[in-house]
Amino acid sequence: MFRLFSCLCLFSFLFVRVQGAAAQNSPAAPSAPSAPSAPSAGSEAPDAPASSGAAEVEEPVYPVERQRVTPLSSNAVSALGAARHRARTEKLAQTSRWRRLLFITPGWFSRSKSVVDSDTFFFAPDGRVDPEAELEASLEAMFHAVDDFAAPDVHPQCRFPARFAFFKDTLGLDDAHLPKPHCAKFKTWFANTRGDGASLVFSSYYLNNPSSMFGHTFVRVHRTHAENTTASRGSPLLDWSVSFAAFPTTNNPLLYAVLGLAGGFPGRFSMMPHYVKAQEYNNHESRDLWEYDLAIGQEGVTRMLASLWEIGNEHIDYYYFDDNCAYILLALIEIARVDVDLTSNFYFWVTPSDTVRVVARVPGLVTNVSYRPSNMSRLLERWEALEGEEREFAVLFTKEPEAFPFDWGPLTSEAKARVLDVMLEYIDFEEKLALGKEPDSKWAPIREKVLRERAGTRVISRSLERKPEGERPDLGHSTNRIGVTGGLLGASGTAPSVPFGQLEWRPSLHDLLAPGVGYPPGMELDFWDMVLRYKAKSTKKTKIGAPKNAPAKLTLHKFNLIEIISAQPSTGLLSPWSWRFRLGTEQRESCYGREKSCFLSGMALGAGLTVANHTRSVLAYVLPGVDLGYSDERDMTLFGALSASSGVILRPANQVRVGLRGNTVRRFGVNGAALSDWEARLDTAVSWSTNFETRVGAGYCARAAQKETLEASLSLFRYYE
């Protein structure tokens, strides 16, 4: 067990270094121009002097610091007392609407508490865990005199408009007994950001950035204008995007991942024009956007925006797996739609695709689903519309864009137009323009030439029509997976076989043989994949490392902290690199000829190419690479290796997948030993529904010292959230 623990510590360290190094080049929160946002609670008021008035009474520390304490009038005292009594009688502090305004989410092993970590978000000292104390303290603050504060805009009614609206709606507060701050800043901000609808937006998986490999979600607020409430209907890019993301406080690769996993970064909301997010994801990162219009009317959007103003610059400790962009946005949607329950579906972790599925399952909550293709998707759609000779011109342009002769030969005007449209999309794809990025000087004169040629054809471009329903994230299987497997272990020329059973659990996300609907083809992202194996008692000595009368045993057969395969096929126009990465441990039945089991732990990475047919129902990849690791086998305590991974995935139907995989490795130990392994496996997966799957497989592996092992298995998998 000590050796196993040492291996796991090594995994964690290596994983942190790899994640951090990638994240250093691709920060979790890309820079973007600022947009109207809520002011910090204390930003408007200087340090408060010693209180006058009831000097003997110790005043609580409020989110908005009072400059003085003005005693309430008798009418205000009476109104406050009546409101408190009604709130207690009706148990308003326990209502979901109040708890949601405080961002209190359900707990499992402890009492529920707010996910907000800023003390300035609460009036009561224990307001984070005591919604009743926070309600009474917040209610009292609404009665404070305007002159008690440095400026009217920081009065609690202005700083916490969502709470004030809640008190007005539920307690029927009389304006005659309340102060009347002007709240100019909030009114100006709200007039500029108000909307009459909202959409949940999912940005597709992006394996090249550790902070985005699980996808990303944000909310688009359908902006309205005072002079025309439907002004933005034809221009959604002018709407507002509301996002929650981590703001890293270090560039150290090691600390980046550690703090991200442990909640060491502050998470904050940001608001910016929607075209900024579209450029960032569609253009810069080549990620498709799926938008889910929500049944949230103007009243719900008003509640959402008022709450967003309250939380403004407050922070929520950001955790990659639970208090992340996906979970916090669900809490914001719950504020807008008080009749839905979304966050209670999750206790331990949540991914962006989980939130999309949960939202889509609520009857009537999603009114429409739209698709916005990335620059790469637009390019490939136009490329697929080309025919033989047209494709030759397009490929020639990608090879020598500066020297392209623009000599079209026998092509018609329509064919020329199609090729030129591909050229323009290719320039956009190569430049990856996003807000703040200057056009590449190389492409500017080329674009001008192509545009002149395109205008000369006088042909209208064909509309883009592709909407890959098979990749809609809400239609995909759930993230978590649990499975049971039974099978037989044997060896060439020996008998009898040894039965085994195993239990597998994987929190996320998807492998190449999983149901393909809802996920892009050629993507595998397994995180924390753990397999416990029980091997029955052996009665005869076999060649699989089990001596005669070996007792039954339960072992950790495999634990992969992370395994990624990005198999992106060549299209004829683009030839992206495919790559793989794995960090984990496995138990071997024999250690290079010795009749004992051992753990083999380490990291493997490689890169290569992938080919596929037009529909990607057939996909094949070859990924050579290197391994580094540790073993408790004395010849391979520390080793380096040359390795290669290959596979063919067939998808004759959405419900059926067939996969053939092979791996070979040549390990070199520090003491000069050199040993080889290779293995091959054939699996067939059948989906009976979105979240139920059966797999039948057989494998053969040849270890060093001729320890050939055969394995046959039957697995049942259940995906869940």
Side-chain angles (χ1 to χ4, degrees), residues 322-399:
D322 49 12
D323 291 353
N324 54 24
C325 67
Y327 188 76
I328 302 304
L329 287 179
L330 285 185
L332 195 64
I333 293 172
E334 286 182 333
I335 291 173
R337 276 290 301 263
V338 296
D339 59 328
V340 301
D341 182 11
L342 304 173
T343 55
S344 65
N345 290 277
F346 308 101
Y347 283 95
F348 291 114
W349 50 76
V350 55
T351 66
S353 59
D354 288 331
T355 64
V356 172
R357 283 187 291 272
V358 167
V359 167
R361 280 205 306 260
V362 178
L365 182 55
V366 175
T367 59
N368 182 58
V369 180
S370 58
Y371 168 73
R372 184 177 181 84
S374 67
N375 53 11
M376 184 170 66
S377 295
R378 295 193 304 268
L379 171 61
L380 293 180
E381 182 175 351
R382 295 209 182 276
W383 162 257
E384 290 168 359
L386 300 185
E387 299 177 354
E389 193 172 5
E390 299 169 9
R391 293 197 169 193
E392 293 178 7
F393 279 99
V395 171
L396 178 62
F397 176 79
T398 63
K399 292 180 178 179

Side-chain angles (χ1 to χ4, degrees), residues 153-213:
D153 284 300
V154 297
H155 189 276
Q157 291 182 25
C158 306
R159 176 66 182 85
F160 295 94
R163 300 189 199 185
F164 184 58
F166 171 80
F167 293 141
K168 294 274 287 185
D169 292 345
T170 58
L171 298 176
L173 299 182
D174 188 347
D175 289 338
H177 301 141
L178 289 164
K180 298 177 178 58
H182 185 54
C183 303
K185 289 191 175 182
F186 170 69
K187 290 178 180 178
T188 300
W189 178 86
F190 182 75
N192 193 35
T193 59
R194 66 176 182 165
D196 61 0
S199 302
L200 179 65
V201 185
F202 177 83
S203 178
S204 60
Y205 308 97
Y206 186 56
L207 295 183
N208 292 332
N209 182 355
S211 65
S212 300
M213 64 175 62

